Amino acid sequence: MEAKIKLDRDYKVGEVDERIYGSFIEHLGRAVYGGIYEPTHPTADADGFRGDVIELVKKLGVPIVRYPGGNFVSGYDWEDGTGPKENRPRRREMAWGTIETNEVGIDEFQKWAKLANTSVMMAVNLGTRGPADARNLMEYCNLPAGTKYSDMRIKNGYADPFGIKLWCLGNEMDGPWQICAKTAEEYGRIANETAKVLKWLDPSIECVVCGSSSSGMRTFGRWEAKVLEESYNNVDYVSCHTYYNNHAHDTPTFLANNLDMDYFIRSVVSTIDYAQVITRSRHKVNISFDEWNVWYHCNEDPNAKPFERWSIAPHQLEDVYNFEDALLIGSLLITMLRHADRVKVACLAQLVNVIAPIMTRNGGGAWAQTIFYPFMHCSEWGRGTALVTNVECDKYDSGHYTDVPYVDSVAVYNEEKSEVTVFAVNKNLTEDIVARVDMRSFEGYRVAEHITMHHDDVNAVNTEENPYNVVPSSNGKTTLDDGTAEALLPAASWNVIRFCK
């Protein structure tokens, strides 16, 4: 089987915003307690942060982390996580049914973010709270001194402002599971007023308004249109959230889910542009895909034990990812890169333990799950300009989808480094595919590396005992001659083909 991949340095989708490789930490399960923070762990520093986790986060090159939620934020009093720890209250956390100890709050998370070479994407509570509390949080985080909350931060030991530049206006406010869910009209107005207040305090920030919780919501489309009608000129991004599953245990259909993400993105872009027209605005709003991943394994685990309600940091939503999950994650990353002109922020949900690329054992090891590697590769080599990448190949029909290309691919050109990277997934489970890549507009380039990731068992996983069961290898076969690269894409594989001068 063969494929043709055509690209040209002059045909560009758009610049890749590095924040597309963001992630997410919520006060949920063991994401914080037992994930990034475990004071008794052998690798913990003086502040209780696990050093082994920080090193893995650094390998991912995550530029931004959304915090503190998620559903959690709609009932969160941010002040609980500031000041001396011995004075912080314990509370029943209503979104996930646990006890929140508040040992980690914005102060500690800002410190952790610096250690992990990342920055904070702050979410504000627009469920039980509103614009006034968001204003106070902004004052605490970003104002230098001389006001009540900026002076509170200084008293708590943080003389310099945190300088947080990206703010989420609540979370999934259309969802009936959300504390104090709202109609589109209600939410659009409060989001608009919150954005106004935040930007009055710090005009340098950007705001993300909540889109639909998923494209399957009954109000999808109408929600975005109404919310943006109320808030368009004061917000900068609309959030998209989506999770995929393979409950049917149908791998070809599962691997085709990137087509659904593509439809989702195009639909939201159309609605944003409609809102721009009806508001008669010159302002440009883009997409923050700030929750996306595969999520279903924990619901099918026969050994999973129900956690005790009102316990502290129980095992919740700890999906163990397999090889086919890594293939889909690769395709979802490719899909977002193909929309790099409008998808400017994205957050893989989440970062540690809870539906995450990194897993830990309390008191034990930390290891990379299968989905860690495609994300790491894109974060490292997917920075620059996304190119229009035309793929010609055979297609298949399966489940909900028809005309699914066997090869999913995108190229990113980093002019500063004189590098071109082609990311490609072969979705054919049984046949290798020879891909011929048109490189004529990159005269003088050579093949630097061809990384492949393949396993004969699509259900293979990584564990603490066997953390390198499913890993990439630089054993790919690509040649370049007379402007055409010929790359062998193994059956069921993730591929990173790097060219440089």
Side-chain angles (χ1 to χ4, degrees):
M1 190 174 288
E2 296 184 352
K4 293 181 180 179
I5 300 176
K6 299 179 181 179
L7 51 99
D8 190 295
R9 72 168 73 207
D10 292 328
Y11 290 84
K12 304 171 183 178
V13 175
E15 292 302 306
V16 178
D17 190 318
E18 68 168 12
R19 296 174 302 175
I20 203 172
Y21 304 118
S23 194
F24 179 25
I25 286 284
E26 181 172 2
H27 284 249
L28 162 59
R30 296 191 307 122
V32 175
Y33 308 114
I36 66 170
Y37 177 82
E38 190 178 347
T40 60
H41 194 271
T43 70
D45 64 12
D47 294 304
F49 300 126
R50 286 185 60 152
D52 54 352
V53 171
I54 286 175
E55 290 308 308
L56 286 169
V57 173
K58 286 180 177 179
K59 287 183 179 180
L60 285 178
V62 175
I64 197 163
V65 179
R66 184 169 171 246
Y67 175 85
N71 295 346
F72 171 85
V73 78
S74 290
Y76 181 51
D77 295 341
W78 66 268
E79 302 94 333
D80 289 349
T82 63
K85 291 189 179 183
E86 62 271 19
N87 296 336
R88 297 183 187 182
R90 292 191 174 203
R91 294 193 186 274
R92 287 196 171 193
E93 201 288 292
M94 305 303 292
W96 301 107
T98 61
I99 294 293
E100 173 55 49
T101 67
N102 285 306
E103 293 173 70
V104 173
I106 179 56
D107 294 344
E108 289 78 17
F109 194 76
Q110 177 69 21
K111 186 178 291 187
W112 176 86
K114 288 184 177 181
L115 293 172
N117 295 337
T118 189
S119 58
V120 179
M121 176 182 183
M122 178 62 69
V124 302
N125 178 357
L126 293 186
T128 59
R129 308 186 92 175
D133 295 294
R135 174 202 63 197
N136 297 342
L137 178 58
M138 165 65 76
E139 183 181 313
Y140 184 88
C141 292
N142 283 19
L143 270 62
T147 60
K148 176 179 177 179
Y149 290 99
S150 60
D151 289 345
M152 180 191 294
R153 182 198 68 244
I154 294 169
K155 182 180 178 181
N156 289 338
Y158 300 88
D160 296 327
F162 297 155
I164 297 172
K165 296 302 182 184
L166 190 57
W167 293 73
C168 297
L169 306 175
N171 175 76
E172 295 184 355
M173 298 308 299
D174 61 331
W177 57 85
Q178 203 69 212
I179 300 173
C180 299
K182 292 174 172 57
T183 65
E185 291 82 0
E186 291 169 338
Y187 172 68
R189 284 187 58 78
I190 195 173
N192 184 61
E193 295 305 314
T194 304
K196 279 167 51 180
V197 169
L198 295 182
K199 288 186 173 184
W200 286 345
L201 282 177
D202 186 347
S204 70
I205 68 160
E206 294 181 305
C207 292
V208 181
V209 72
C210 291
S212 297
S213 299
S214 75
S215 60
M217 297 296 288
R218 181 179 55 83
T219 55
F220 173 59
R222 294 192 302 273
W223 171 275
E224 282 80 358
K226 184 59 183 176
V227 167
L228 286 172
E229 184 180 352
E230 298 285 349
S231 65
Y232 190 90
N233 283 306
N234 288 310
V235 301
D236 305 282
Y237 306 96
V238 175
S239 72
C240 291
H241 292 180
T242 195
Y243 297 94
Y244 295 105
N245 68 72
N246 192 10
H247 287 307
H249 301 286
D250 176 356
T251 299
T253 299
F254 177 66
L255 295 182
N257 276 316
N258 65 295
L259 298 182
D260 177 80
M261 176 183 268
D262 181 79
Y263 169 78
F264 192 3
I265 292 170
R266 288 186 288 107
S267 299
V268 175
V269 166
S270 297
T271 309
I272 292 171
D273 292 346
Y274 161 78
Q276 183 179 20
V277 171
I278 66 171
T279 57
R280 296 172 173 81
S281 178
R282 299 283 183 178
H283 178 54
K284 191 74 169 179
V285 172
N286 288 308
I287 287 176
S288 173
F289 220 121
D290 49 40
E291 285 190 35
W292 68 276
N293 205 340
V294 172
W295 175 8
Y296 76 100
H297 293 286
C298 56
N299 299 325
E300 293 190 343
D301 184 359
N303 299 314
K305 299 178 182 178
F307 73 93
E308 182 182 349
R309 194 163 172 81
W310 312 126
S311 56
I312 298 173
H315 292 259
Q316 288 176 290
L317 312 187
E318 296 193 6
D319 271 32
V320 176
Y321 290 111
N322 60 28
F323 174 58
E324 71 177 12
D325 297 327
L327 293 179
L328 179 59
I329 290 298
S331 276
L332 297 178
L333 286 159
I334 286 170
T335 301
M336 287 188 284
L337 286 168
R338 292 181 80 129
H339 290 280
D341 57 330
R342 299 305 295 270
V343 180
K344 295 298 183 180
V345 181
C347 301
L348 179 68
Q350 293 186 17
L351 186 56
V352 186
N353 288 329
V354 176
I355 50 173
I358 299 169
M359 289 292 286
T360 73
R361 179 169 59 85
N362 289 4
W367 61 99
Q369 296 222 66
T370 61
I371 65 172
F372 182 97
Y373 297 102
F375 188 97
M376 179 183 72
H377 292 154
C378 287
S379 179
E380 183 169 0
W381 293 301
R383 305 192 185 205
T385 303
L387 301 179
V388 175
T389 308
N390 181 267
V391 180
E392 298 178 10
C393 64
D394 290 345
K395 300 178 181 180
Y396 69 91
D397 297 340
S398 180
H400 302 297
Y401 304 101
T402 59
D403 294 328
V404 182
Y406 276 112
V407 174
D408 195 15
S409 183
V410 72
V412 177
Y413 172 41
N414 190 319
E415 185 174 11
E416 182 180 349
K417 294 184 178 180
S418 297
E419 292 180 348
V420 178
T421 302
V422 175
F423 302 103
V425 175
N426 178 0
K427 299 182 182 182
N428 192 309
L429 302 179
T430 58
E431 291 187 44
D432 298 347
I433 295 178
V434 176
R436 292 181 171 84
V437 185
D438 187 341
M439 291 290 293
R440 286 176 295 176
S441 72
F442 294 97
E443 186 176 354
Y445 278 66
R446 60 178 177 82
V447 179
E449 187 178 23
H450 180 172
I451 299 169
T452 65
M453 187 172 171
H454 168 79
H455 199 286
D456 290 336
D457 180 6
V458 295
N459 294 308
V461 302
N462 293 338
T463 64
E464 184 179 13
E465 295 74 25
N466 190 7
Y468 306 114
N469 185 35
V470 185
V471 294
S473 173
S474 295
N475 63 352
K477 298 177 182 178
T478 297
T479 59
L480 177 58
D481 183 48
D482 197 25
T484 299
E486 189 171 288
L488 180 66
L489 311 180
S493 65
W494 163 253
N495 297 266
V496 182
I497 307 166
R498 299 175 53 233
F499 302 91
C500 67
K501 275 193 173 181

